[in-house]
Structures are given as structure tokens and as C-alpha cells.
Amino acid sequence: MLLYLRLLKESFSFAFNALRNNKLRTFLSLLGVTIGIFSIIAVLAAVDSLDKNIRDSLSALDSNTMYLASFSFGPTDVPRWKRETFDEISYNEYKFLKANLNGAEHVAFQLFVRRENIRYESEQVSSINTVVVSNEFTDIQVLEFEKGRFYTESESNAGRPVVVIGSEIAKSLFGDFEPIGKKVRLYGQKFTVIGVVKKEGSGLFGDSNDVSIFLPANYVRKRFGDNNKNFRNIIIIKPDKDADIAGLKAEVIQLMRNRRGLKPDEIDTFFISVISGLQDAIDGIISTMNVIGWVISGFSLLVGGFGIANIMFVSVKERTNLIGIQKSLGAKNRFILFQFLFEAVILAIVGGVVGLLMVYIGTIIGNNITEDFEFVLSLKNMLLGISISSFIGLVSGLIPALSASRLDPVEAIRTGM
């Protein structure tokens, strides 16, 4: 054990001397490893950060939440011309499902409408995200309130002119003044502000709640009718905690087919999308991004490996005389082999640590620039970076180390003189 500790100490010394005595050569040779480790870990950190922020955005929703619509949220085999013939999801179908579904905890109705302008006295915010939903929406997608509340079932059913606004909308319209109870103008009519949603940051899937407003679906239905071609309707279904998801989906399909009078040989004229399916799609995209990152970074690591091999071949040549002396004094081939292998690994780790340091600095800068997106550098990725560096050093230094260990001591001393 003491022998190998001394061997490791000497290897550190030789590696340090290589860095100190041949700064430019060593820097250029290690640059490939540094760039390679930086590329791999930066890609992995970016993908992990994206994955974390996406999952945080979806955490407010149950992964089994279903969306019933006349259009599909994902790829489908139904041709476009066929989809365009499907009837729009109706409010009456929402009420029908709400009354007859057994495995659903909450059922909500939502209309996708155009962006609107909202005004308070002389202040106006233009083209804001307008979320038109029934009152059950807040039971499905959890909303935290800075002030006030969401509209009640009676306000929702009656289509009362009440509105819940995001924190950024409240700040733009009212500044430091109290927004609750104020009258804002929307759709040419006055709406009473009854709630302000707590600030949550930017959303990864469109506008966040900070820059959105929420108003009862029945208000828009009464004002514009149920057959407005500019609106798209969906029904959101949150299953019971212990519900059989496949069974609930089959129940929705059967109820809808019966409601629409579809014959057994006719296809469904609606689509059911599940949040968990979206998460699976996201996982697939993230896996693809990881593979692409590894392929791109692999070229840099290949260059870095050749650079370290070059350093080690030069080191063997410069220390040929010393190798001969060590062997003449009884040093075994294994000792010489490990000496150069340790040196190659140490040099590679130095390049890898510099690459990791660059990623770490990048995450700090990124988090300071963007408040709403969190960049993360996990311990797993840091250990992975060190492990890859060590492996590159081991592979790159193997041939030079073998050539050094097989030198004839007499020839080595004579060559080095």
C-alpha cells in the first residue's frame, strides 16, 4: 500500500511539472478534455434543468388528468379532413359527464378564446391570456391566491361578470393600490375583480398565471353563444384518487359515443388526452436531447484523448533515461506502468475539473439572469464528469504507459544520455 501511495505522489509531481514546465503545450492538449466535459455536463445540466422546470410546471396537475376535445393534443392517425368534421365539445356534454361519470372527482368546462385587452381607468394591458373556465378549474389545477378568491359555483353557473387576475396584471393596472372589488373593463363591460393569483413565474407551456385572467365560461357562452366558430371547447376530467384510469377513460368513451349516437362501426368523434402521456412524450424528447449531447461532445473528448496521449508520449521520451535508472534499481514494469497511467488520469481530471467549473459558473450566471427558470448542476452530473475524465485519461495513457514499462533499462539509459 505504501508503495502505491508513493507512486501516486510521484505521479502527482510529474503531472504538476508537466503543467508548470510546458504550460502552453499542456493547456492546448487538455483543452479538448475541458471542452468535451464542459459540453457533456452542460448539455446534461441544461436537460436536467428543463426536465425539472417542466415537472414543476406540471406538478399542479394530477398526472392522470384527462382532456376531452374535438381535436388531439398529440399525434393521431385520424386525417385532418376527418377531424374537421367532428362536432365541437358542448356545454351540455360537460353537464352530462359531470352527472354520470362514476370515477371522476372533478369535471370542468373550458373555452379556448382569443386574447383580450383589460382596462382600469386610464391603465390598459393588451393581448392577455384569457382563461375561460367553470368554477371546478381551481379544484383541478391548484391556484394559490395572493388576495381574494376564485368564483363560486353559483357565480360560474350564472355567468356573473367577475374576474380573477394574475399578479403581473394586478401590478400593471393597480400598482400599489388594492385591486379587490375594483371594476375593470373587459368585453365592453365592467367586471369585478374578486381575486389575484399568487406570482408563480413564467410558464413553459404558454403564458403563466401571472399574465392571465380567469372568468366564468357561462359569461362568454351567454354573450357569444355556443356555436361561435372562434372558440374551441374542452372538458377537463380529474379522476378520483383510487380510480382505474383505463376504466374511467373507457367509461368516458362509452358515455360520449352513446350521447352522440355513434354506431359500432363508426370511429370516435372526439379525443381524450392524458397528462401522463404528455410526460412520456417529454421524457422521450429529453432522452433524445441527451443522446445528441453525448454524440456532439464525444468528438471533443476524442480530441482531448489524443491530446493527453500526445503529452504522455512526449513525457515518456523526455524521461527515458529516468525510466532506465528506475528499472536498473529494481523498479518493476508494473510500477512504471501505473506511474504513467496515474499521471495521465491526473492530467485528464484537471481538464475535467476546469470543464465542470465552467458549467458551474454558467449555472450561476444563468440563475442571476433569469428569475423564472432554475438552472441546476447535480452532484450526479459532477461525479459523471470526473468519472468520464478519469476514463479518458486511463484509455489515452494506456499505450504510452505500456511502451514505457517495456523499455529495456540499458537501452533506456543509453538513449537518454
Side-chain angles (χ1 to χ4, degrees):
M1 178 60 71
L2 291 176
L3 177 65
Y4 286 103
L5 288 175
R6 184 166 63 86
L7 180 62
L8 188 59
K9 179 182 177 182
E10 289 183 2
S11 299
F12 267 112
S13 176
F14 283 126
F16 177 75
N17 287 332
L19 289 169
R20 183 182 61 185
N21 298 331
N22 303 285
K23 297 181 181 65
L24 181 60
R25 185 187 71 190
T26 307
F27 168 75
L28 292 175
S29 299
L30 293 183
L31 189 60
V33 175
T34 299
I35 294 175
I37 295 299
F38 170 79
S39 302
I40 287 179
I41 304 305
V43 169
L44 294 179
V47 171
D48 285 350
S49 301
L50 180 62
D51 187 32
K52 180 180 183 300
N53 283 272
I54 288 174
R55 295 187 188 282
D56 287 346
S57 297
L58 293 176
S59 62
L61 290 172
D62 188 320
S63 62
N64 294 317
T65 299
M66 300 179 183
Y67 293 86
L68 174 65
S70 61
F71 55 91
S72 176
F73 285 89
T76 176
D77 295 330
V78 182
R80 182 176 178 179
W81 68 266
K82 188 71 174 178
R83 299 196 304 268
E84 290 177 349
T85 65
F86 293 170
D87 291 334
E88 193 68 50
I89 297 296
S90 70
Y91 185 79
N92 287 333
E93 287 172 332
Y94 148 71
K95 291 196 299 183
F96 173 73
L97 290 178
K98 185 177 179 179
N100 292 280
L101 271 179
N102 295 317
E105 182 179 1
H106 296 289
V107 181
F109 183 73
Q110 179 173 358
L111 289 83
F112 288 149
V113 301
R114 66 187 182 186
R115 305 172 78 87
E116 291 294 334
N117 303 331
I118 188 170
R119 177 187 294 275
Y120 175 71
E121 295 182 348
S122 61
E123 300 296 332
Q124 176 174 301
V125 182
S126 302
S127 189
I128 55 175
N129 183 43
T130 307
V131 184
V132 180
V133 287
S134 60
N135 63 286
E136 299 92 350
F137 180 81
T138 190
D139 296 315
I140 298 175
Q141 180 174 324
V142 179
L143 296 176
E144 295 184 18
F145 289 88
E146 183 179 308
K147 297 178 180 179
R149 59 178 177 82
F150 206 70
Y151 38 84
T152 64
E153 183 177 5
S154 62
E155 290 171 329
S156 176
N157 291 338
R160 298 278 175 80
V162 293
V163 64
V164 175
I165 61 178
S167 60
E168 291 297 324
I169 303 295
K171 183 178 180 181
S172 299
L173 292 179
F174 305 104
D176 296 328
F177 294 100
E178 174 62 48
I180 303 300
K182 296 292 193 301
K183 302 287 186 180
V184 296
R185 185 164 290 276
L186 185 70
Y187 291 118
Q189 183 177 340
K190 289 184 177 181
F191 280 70
T192 302
V193 178
I194 61 172
V196 178
V197 179
K198 187 177 180 181
K199 184 176 178 62
E200 66 173 18
S202 63
L204 293 172
F205 303 99
D207 297 303
S208 79
N209 291 332
D210 298 346
V211 291
S212 301
I213 62 173
F214 303 81
L215 59 150
N218 276 354
Y219 172 84
V220 176
R221 289 183 59 244
K222 289 193 300 182
R223 184 174 178 84
F224 297 101
D226 282 324
N227 298 317
N228 194 303
K229 299 300 182 183
N230 295 320
F231 301 157
R232 303 302 300 270
N233 307 338
I234 65 171
I235 296 173
I236 311 172
I237 302 167
K238 181 180 180 181
D240 288 327
K241 292 181 180 179
D242 300 325
D244 176 10
I245 305 306
L248 177 60
K249 185 175 181 180
E251 184 184 1
V252 173
I253 293 173
Q254 191 58 50
L255 287 173
M256 285 294 295
R257 289 184 63 86
N258 291 340
R259 173 83 182 181
R260 293 193 167 188
L262 297 175
K263 297 178 181 178
D265 59 339
E266 292 181 313
I267 66 171
D268 296 337
T269 56
F270 50 85
F271 296 94
I272 300 176
S273 305
V274 185
I275 288 291
S276 58
L278 175 60
Q279 290 179 332
D280 292 340
I282 292 170
D283 289 341
I285 294 172
I286 287 174
S287 297
T288 302
M289 292 173 64
N290 277 328
V291 171
I292 293 172
W294 276 95
V295 170
I296 294 173
S297 305
F299 290 104
S300 296
L301 288 175
L302 186 63
V303 173
F306 283 124
I308 291 178
N310 177 63
I311 291 178
M312 297 313 299
F313 276 119
V314 172
S315 183
V316 170
K317 184 176 181 180
E318 290 177 344
R319 285 154 44 196
T320 300
N321 181 263
L322 179 59
I323 294 169
I325 294 173
Q326 285 179 316
K327 283 199 164 192
S328 66
L329 294 176
K332 297 185 179 298
N333 288 352
R334 185 176 62 228
F335 181 88
I336 303 298
L337 175 70
F338 285 150
Q339 186 181 66
F340 281 90
L341 279 181
F342 285 163
E343 184 177 343
V345 170
I346 291 166
L347 287 171
I349 288 176
V350 170
V353 168
V354 174
L356 286 173
L357 184 61
M358 291 168 61
V359 177
Y360 177 70
I361 293 172
T363 59
I364 294 176
I365 294 173
N367 286 327
N368 287 332
I369 292 176
T370 59
E371 296 180 359
D372 301 325
F373 189 93
E374 181 184 0
F375 292 90
V376 293
L377 176 58
S378 65
L379 178 61
K380 180 189 73 174
N381 284 337
M382 294 176 67
L383 293 176
L384 179 62
I386 297 298
S387 300
I388 294 173
S389 301
S390 302
F391 179 75
I392 293 298
L394 187 65
V395 173
S396 302
L398 185 59
I399 294 177
L402 283 171
S403 65
S405 67
R406 294 172 179 173
L407 286 174
D408 181 82
V410 176
E411 289 295 328
I413 294 174
R414 182 184 297 127
T415 303
M417 293 179 63

